[in-house]
Amino acid sequence: MATDGAGMRTDTLKIALLGCGTVGAEVARRLDAHGPELTARAGAQLELAGIAVRDPSRRRTGLDPALFTADGAALVGRPDVEIVIELIGGIEPARSLLLAAMARGASVVTANKALLATHGPQLYEAAEKHGVDLYFEASVAGAIPLLRPLRESLAGDRIRRMLGIVNGTTNFILTRMDETGADFATALAEATALGYAEADPTADVAGHDAAAKAAILASLAFHTRIRVGDVYREGITAVSADDVASARDMGNVIKMLAICELSADEQAVSVRVHPAMIPRTHPLAGVREAFNAVFVEADAAGQLMFYGRGAGGAPTASAVLGDIVAVARHRVGQGRGVGESAYAQLAIRSIGECVTHYYVHLDVTDKAGVLAQVAAVFAANGVSISTVRQDGHGAEASLVIVTHSATEAALAATVENLRGIDAVREISSVLRVER
Ligand SMILES: NC(=O)c1ccc[n+]([C@@H]2O[C@H](COP(=O)([O-])OP(=O)(O)OC[C@H]3O[C@@H](n4cnc5c(N)ncnc54)[C@H](OP(=O)(O)O)[C@@H]3O)[C@@H](O)[C@H]2O)c1
């Protein structure tokens, strides 16, 4: 290793890239196109040593075919490679390749939320054991600088709550439903046609993608190991055009939110992902189409909002390249960046203990005394009603009830009891209302 008089590295840092798809290809091209700038910022020459892909015979525009290999393990095992970038996705072989890289003393950068949300602690332990960096800015909210602010800039503050729009597909669908009155299926078809939704949209519309990101965010914000299995999850498939119209009538908008909260006694956290109404005046309400944003409430900083593109090759590559420069700087200075901070080990609250407001839409028989019966059920379960709107149409009526804050358990018991009232024909919708 060559060093200058101050002990700083002066030689070349070799980089292995695993995966050359939507994100990997952008990273490779930008490393090549912006080499001198990135080198100046990193403090050492950055050189792409090889790229592992599934099919190395496929031509990739603008990239040297000699760089490609199908043997990711051999690339990661090269003793001259000091930084490994994982952009394959999924659990295996990504996990094994990153562990092998770290065991050999290489620092790693990944955008893989699924891997971090399931095996984050194992990866952090490997990074700690081998004295290397594990960076993953692109794993949540694409281009938005968010994880480094949480890990570093806000390290002196106490985060109370985060509300995030962290899935562009669902935000696009809900935006179209709100702005055009479309139902879910129509808005999903439009998202698919425009390339915002995958052919199988389950990971997005059922909330799996957002849940993995919420686990990563909550782990960093609350210094506690939180895995995707700890996150309560509901998707947006049941959100109807009527719900969206009701939200609008109430001055609200429905957003798919990742909500990470510290409990009032500061002993526990809750992490949940579900559609929720928020006031149209909330900063997140204006986050349209496929954009992402995370709203953070911290003791000293107050309210912060991070906004930008949450996906796409170039935006995600921006975050990956930022990590590459950061990790390279540490290697030049022969130091390390921040590792895992999980000292707090707070308890994780079940969904039943979470407290919020609710919107309940009931179809009832339009006769005297029904409203009183319904109100009595809410009262018996300790759920206080904030507003009621009743619309009659013939023999039927609809009741739209918004509650004051109550636990999920109390609301669930209320809904169960409402099903036992003869005059309640259908509970057509229950949605959370975040203030
Ligand atoms: N796309 C986004 O907007 C976005 C945003 C944020 C985070 N991410 C994350 O970034 C990562 C990459 O996403 P992507 O959209 O770029 O994926 P992608 O387009 O599907 O690309 C995956 C790449 O991995 C290669 N690959 C697959 N299996 C492999 C194996 N066993 N060994 C070596 N290479 C293998 C593929 O090779 P071939 O090219 O030969 O098929 C391809 O180049 C994922 O973790 C994803 O969650 C993506």
Side-chain angles (χ1 to χ4, degrees):
M1 175 195 314
T3 56
D4 64 13
M8 302 288 274
R9 298 267 305 266
T10 53
D11 52 349
T12 298
L13 280 175
K14 293 212 167 105
I15 298 174
L17 179 61
L18 309 175
C20 193
T22 306
V23 185
E26 279 291 339
V27 168
R29 290 194 188 104
R30 283 164 196 270
L31 265 175
D32 185 42
H34 305 296
E37 263 178 283
L38 296 173
T39 292
R41 293 172 195 170
Q45 175 88 26
L46 302 179
E47 183 186 312
L48 196 50
I51 306 175
V53 290
R54 212 168 6 205
D55 175 9
S57 66
R58 188 148 65 83
R59 287 283 301 162
R60 324 241 173 186
T61 316
L63 297 173
D64 179 0
L67 287 172
F68 287 87
T69 173
D71 193 346
L75 181 58
V76 158
R78 268 175 58 170
D80 57 335
V81 165
E82 291 191 61
I83 300 175
V84 172
I85 318 301
E86 185 276 309
L87 296 168
I88 296 174
I91 306 299
E92 289 295 349
R95 186 182 69 109
S96 303
L97 290 171
L98 286 183
L99 289 173
M102 289 191 277
R104 216 184 37 63
S107 289
V108 300
V109 172
T110 177
N112 193 330
K113 67 222 135 200
L115 180 59
L116 283 155
T118 43
H119 298 283
Q122 185 190 20
L123 296 171
Y124 271 128
E125 277 164 19
E128 193 61 40
K129 182 172 169 198
H130 301 292
V132 298
D133 279 335
L134 164 65
Y135 271 48
F136 46 90
E137 182 64 65
S139 64
V140 182
I144 306 173
L146 174 62
L147 306 192
R148 206 155 319 136
L150 291 177
R151 289 170 96 177
E152 298 182 28
S153 320
L154 290 166
D157 207 336
R158 175 169 297 172
I159 293 173
R160 295 272 161 194
R161 186 161 95 128
M162 288 187 293
L163 296 180
I165 295 173
V166 292
N167 181 273
T169 307
T170 47
N171 201 50
F172 181 87
I173 291 169
L174 291 172
T175 302
R176 299 308 287 162
M177 290 175 75
D178 180 53
E179 293 181 0
T180 69
D183 62 10
F184 171 77
T186 307
L188 172 60
E190 188 182 351
T192 310
L194 292 172
Y196 289 123
E198 310 242 343
D200 176 1
T202 313
D204 294 316
V205 299
H208 297 285
D209 174 83
K213 292 167 178 171
I216 296 168
L217 286 179
S219 300
L220 298 181
F222 302 123
H223 306 274
T224 292
R225 287 181 169 179
I226 296 161
R227 293 179 177 82
V228 65
D230 299 319
V231 180
Y232 174 79
R233 175 184 56 78
E234 267 175 40
I236 63 162
T237 50
V239 175
S240 68
D242 283 349
D243 293 335
V244 172
S246 286
R248 178 172 279 281
D249 288 347
M250 292 160 54
N252 289 336
V253 61
I254 298 176
K255 292 289 185 189
M256 176 68 161
L257 296 181
I259 302 172
C260 313
E261 280 175 310
L262 183 64
S263 62
D265 65 5
E266 300 177 4
Q267 299 303 305
V269 294
S270 63
V271 192
R272 49 199 168 100
V273 165
H274 53 68
M277 290 190 188
I278 53 170
R280 281 193 183 266
T281 49
H282 192 285
L284 287 174
V287 178
R288 296 177 61 251
E289 305 212 319
F291 278 86
N292 281 197
V294 176
F295 187 78
V296 178
E297 296 168 16
D299 275 358
Q303 299 178 337
L304 302 161
M305 191 156 99
F306 300 85
Y307 169 87
R309 293 193 187 277
T316 310
S318 165
V320 172
L321 288 160
D323 278 355
I324 294 173
V325 170
V327 164
R329 278 184 191 144
H330 300 152
R331 293 193 80 95
V332 169
Q334 299 182 56
R336 279 182 70 204
V338 275
E340 184 183 28
S341 172
Y343 68 88
Q345 287 309 329
L346 298 172
I348 298 164
R349 286 237 160 115
S350 69
I351 186 68
E353 297 170 279
C354 290
V355 175
T356 188
H357 307 249
Y358 306 89
Y359 155 95
V360 183
H361 188 152
L362 306 171
D363 294 324
V364 298
T365 310
D366 195 6
K367 60 180 186 192
V370 173
L371 181 55
Q373 260 184 305
V374 166
V377 168
F378 278 81
N381 287 288
V383 180
S384 156
I385 291 174
S386 165
T387 60
V388 181
R389 202 186 73 206
Q390 183 168 9
D391 291 322
H393 26 89
E396 290 173 29
S398 68
L399 285 179
V400 173
I401 295 170
V402 178
T403 75
H404 288 294
S405 62
T407 64
E408 290 267 349
L411 196 275
T414 305
V415 169
E416 196 50 40
N417 295 165
L418 288 171
R419 292 190 205 285
I421 298 179
D422 283 345
V424 174
R425 301 160 77 102
E426 193 190 357
I427 300 170
S428 46
S429 187
V430 179
L431 279 164
R432 296 162 187 90
V433 183
E434 300 296 330
R435 296 278 158 84

